[in-house]
Amino acid sequence: MKRSGVFWSSATIAAMRIFASGCAFALFWVIARMSVVDAGAFRTIFVFFLSLEFLSLLGMNQYLIREVSVASGGVRSLLVSSFVFSLGVCLMLALGLWGVAGYGSFSPVVSSGLLLLVVSLPATAAVCCGQSILVGLGRGVEFGLLQGVEVVCRTGTGIVLMLCGADVLAVVTGFVVIRYLVVALYWWRVVPELEQGAFSFNADYFRDFLKKVPPFAGILILYLVSRFAAQVMLPWMYGDKAAGHFAVAYQMLDLLLLVPTALSINLMPLFAQRVKESEDEYVQVCGLGLKIMTLAVLPATVMLSCLAGPVVMLLFGPDFTPSILLLQVLIWAGFLLALDQVLSTAAIARGRQDADLKALLAGASASLLLLYPLISVYGALGAVAGVLGGCVVLMGARLFLSRDVIPGLHVLSRLWRILVAGGVMWLSMAFVPHPVLAGFVGVAAYGVALFVFQGVDRVERAALKTLMAAKVQRSRPV
């Protein structure tokens, strides 16, 4: 399969994730319709499952993508080093999960589910290494397809099990089995792309790998705190029912972030190559990345915020009425996180992990300071407020630090016209009572406002087209 440009790689990853998330959403919907408590328990276990995918490499997946994208050889050594490192991390994670399951004060279902996740850790290590190598090689399309296959299989299995009368723990067991089966798919696609030679352990590569771990691990841990702390603290403090209401809003936020995540993954190798070529090109491509992210995510955010009531009632019913307000507020955190992904990717591509770490430290610290008191008083709404507050602080720190990381990039001057168009869209929808009509009016108003305020002029349209067609250029393995 040929290497694809940013557009096709991002589009494939996003399309497969949307399709896969549709299946995952269907599974969550099936569980939620059966029981709010089961929905909360499943979402809590699933948060740990997702966190393990990040933690197995301690954030070094971004380092792997960057290094593979600019390397002409030595990828086999990078793969072996990353896998050995990941296995060691997984051993520590297994001990941590065992402790949380036994002493974390979660419900019996959640505790048993965490023990099942321990079994999946070696396979998770192998899959995460394979994913990073594929993206670094410019094989974003294949990465998207393989990831989509796994998610569709595991969620499809889960739906069948639930409809046959199985419980949440049976669904988690299915997740673990499919994770092991998918390892063979990544091996099949990664190995032919590597240079010739044996898979041997290179101590020099491994030592160099370990030297890069601390900043990337810090970045990852702080990211996970910002992303998942509320989802873990809420069931611990308020129980699985409150977690179920919160989970509906967070499920929508996850859907909103599908396209931004796919785009930022494929921008990493492109940013890394532009850094080596030209400072001006690097700044230009970062600005374009922010603009296309805003164009795509802002209208979706406005739509979900304005139509939260009809969406929740249609999909989940009156038992989830408290989720409406949660979704209206929380979805704006998704917009901020989407912009943050571009700025974070740009910093890491330049080798400025220190700036990324500082921004995440500010956001995660704010979240932790806010979450406990707010959840104690307001429950699920307090969790939403804590998440959004942390995201606001994160974005403020990111914009402040970007003056040094991406000199010459004026974020607000590039985006204000699109932001105004988003405001026009929100106002137009607020006065239309029928949800379907409101959606059409909002999209039309957004398009007209973009045209009137010249949100994207002719020169920028040409530049955006070039960006989305750009391909990662690498030497063929020998």
Side-chain angles (χ1 to χ4, degrees), residues 54-55 58-63 66 212-227 340 344-345 347-349 351-361 364 394 398:
F54 293 103
L55 286 168
L58 285 183
M60 289 296 284
N61 54 305
Q62 297 187 80
Y63 169 79
R66 187 184 73 189
K212 305 297 191 302
V213 169
F216 282 97
I219 289 169
L220 172 68
I221 291 171
L222 292 172
Y223 168 78
L224 292 178
V225 169
S226 300
R227 193 81 159 80
D340 177 73
S344 172
T345 300
I348 293 173
R352 289 298 307 273
Q353 293 82 239
D354 60 318
D356 197 36
L357 190 63
K358 291 175 184 177
L360 286 169
L361 179 60
L394 170 63
R398 187 76 72 186

Side-chain angles (χ1 to χ4, degrees), residues 52 87-101 114-115 117-119 121-122:
L52 293 176
L87 286 178
V89 172
C90 285
L91 177 60
M92 293 185 289
L93 291 176
L95 295 174
L97 280 177
W98 178 81
V100 172
L114 298 183
L115 292 177
L117 295 184
V118 172
V119 182
L121 284 171

Side-chain angles (χ1 to χ4, degrees), residues 114-145:
L114 298 183
L115 292 177
L116 285 172
L117 295 184
V118 172
V119 182
S120 71
L121 284 171
T124 297
V127 167
C128 291
C129 291
Q131 290 174 342
S132 302
I133 297 295
L134 274 180
V135 175
L137 291 169
R139 302 293 185 176
V141 169
E142 293 176 59
F143 161 65
L145 292 173

Side-chain angles (χ1 to χ4, degrees), residues 123-185:
T124 297
V127 167
C128 291
C129 291
Q131 290 174 342
S132 302
I133 297 295
L134 274 180
V135 175
L137 291 169
R139 302 293 185 176
V141 169
E142 293 176 59
F143 161 65
L145 292 173
L146 292 179
Q147 189 177 57
V149 166
E150 179 186 1
V151 178
V152 169
C153 288
R154 76 189 184 205
T155 53
T157 300
I159 291 172
V160 171
L161 289 171
M162 291 300 298
L163 293 178
C164 291
D167 58 13
V168 169
L169 294 180
V171 173
V172 177
T173 302
F175 279 26
V176 174
V177 172
I178 291 170
R179 172 53 56 86
Y180 273 95
L181 293 176
V182 83
V183 171
L185 293 177

Side-chain angles (χ1 to χ4, degrees), residues 46-325:
F46 191 63
V47 166
F48 278 94
F49 181 81
L50 293 177
S51 299
L52 293 176
E53 292 186 337
F54 293 103
L55 286 168
S56 64
L57 270 173
L58 285 183
M60 289 296 284
N61 54 305
Q62 297 187 80
Y63 169 79
L64 275 175
I65 293 171
R66 187 184 73 189
E67 293 302 303
V68 171
S69 68
V70 298
S72 58
V75 179
R76 282 181 179 249
S77 295
L78 281 170
L79 177 57
V80 173
S81 296
S82 63
F83 183 62
V84 171
F85 170 76
S86 187
L87 286 178
V89 172
C90 285
L91 177 60
M92 293 185 289
L93 291 176
L95 295 174
L97 280 177
W98 178 81
V100 172
Y103 307 100
S105 300
F106 287 106
S107 67
V109 174
V110 172
S111 297
S112 299
L114 298 183
L115 292 177
L116 285 172
L117 295 184
V118 172
V119 182
S120 71
L121 284 171
T124 297
V127 167
C128 291
C129 291
Q131 290 174 342
S132 302
I133 297 295
L134 274 180
V135 175
L137 291 169
R139 302 293 185 176
V141 169
E142 293 176 59
F143 161 65
L145 292 173
L146 292 179
Q147 189 177 57
V149 166
E150 179 186 1
V151 178
V152 169
C153 288
R154 76 189 184 205
T155 53
T157 300
I159 291 172
V160 171
L161 289 171
M162 291 300 298
L163 293 178
C164 291
D167 58 13
V168 169
L169 294 180
V171 173
V172 177
T173 302
F175 279 26
V176 174
V177 172
I178 291 170
R179 172 53 56 86
Y180 273 95
L181 293 176
V182 83
V183 171
L185 293 177
Y186 281 96
W187 179 268
W188 169 60
R189 294 311 308 154
V190 169
V191 173
E193 290 296 316
L194 306 182
E195 71 275 7
Q196 298 298 315
F199 284 97
S200 58
F201 180 77
N202 186 313
D204 292 333
Y205 269 92
F206 190 67
R207 281 193 293 268
D208 186 64
F209 190 91
L210 292 179
K211 291 178 182 178
K212 305 297 191 302
V213 169
F216 282 97
I219 289 169
L220 172 68
I221 291 171
L222 292 172
Y223 168 78
L224 292 178
V225 169
S226 300
R227 193 81 159 80
F228 297 125
Q231 298 179 74
V232 174
M233 292 177 66
L234 187 60
W236 171 58
M237 297 173 66
Y238 260 76
D240 289 344
K241 185 174 182 178
H245 291 142
F246 181 80
V248 167
Y250 218 96
Q251 189 82 30
M252 294 297 180
L253 185 144
D254 285 342
L255 291 174
L256 179 72
L257 289 175
L258 288 174
V259 172
T261 302
L263 178 61
S264 60
I265 286 172
N266 287 285
L267 286 175
M268 171 64 81
L270 189 65
F271 284 175
Q273 292 187 349
R274 291 296 187 272
V275 169
K276 292 181 176 295
E277 295 170 0
S278 166
E279 176 78 12
D280 290 339
E281 287 190 17
Y282 167 70
V283 174
Q284 178 68 9
V285 79
C286 290
L288 291 172
L290 278 172
K291 176 151 282 192
I292 197 168
M293 187 72 80
T294 306
L295 284 168
V297 178
L298 182 58
T301 304
V302 173
M303 189 76 69
L304 283 171
S305 180
C306 291
L307 301 181
V311 169
V312 171
M313 288 295 100
L314 175 65
L315 294 176
F316 298 99
D319 287 345
F320 286 87
T321 300
S323 299
I324 296 173
L325 179 60

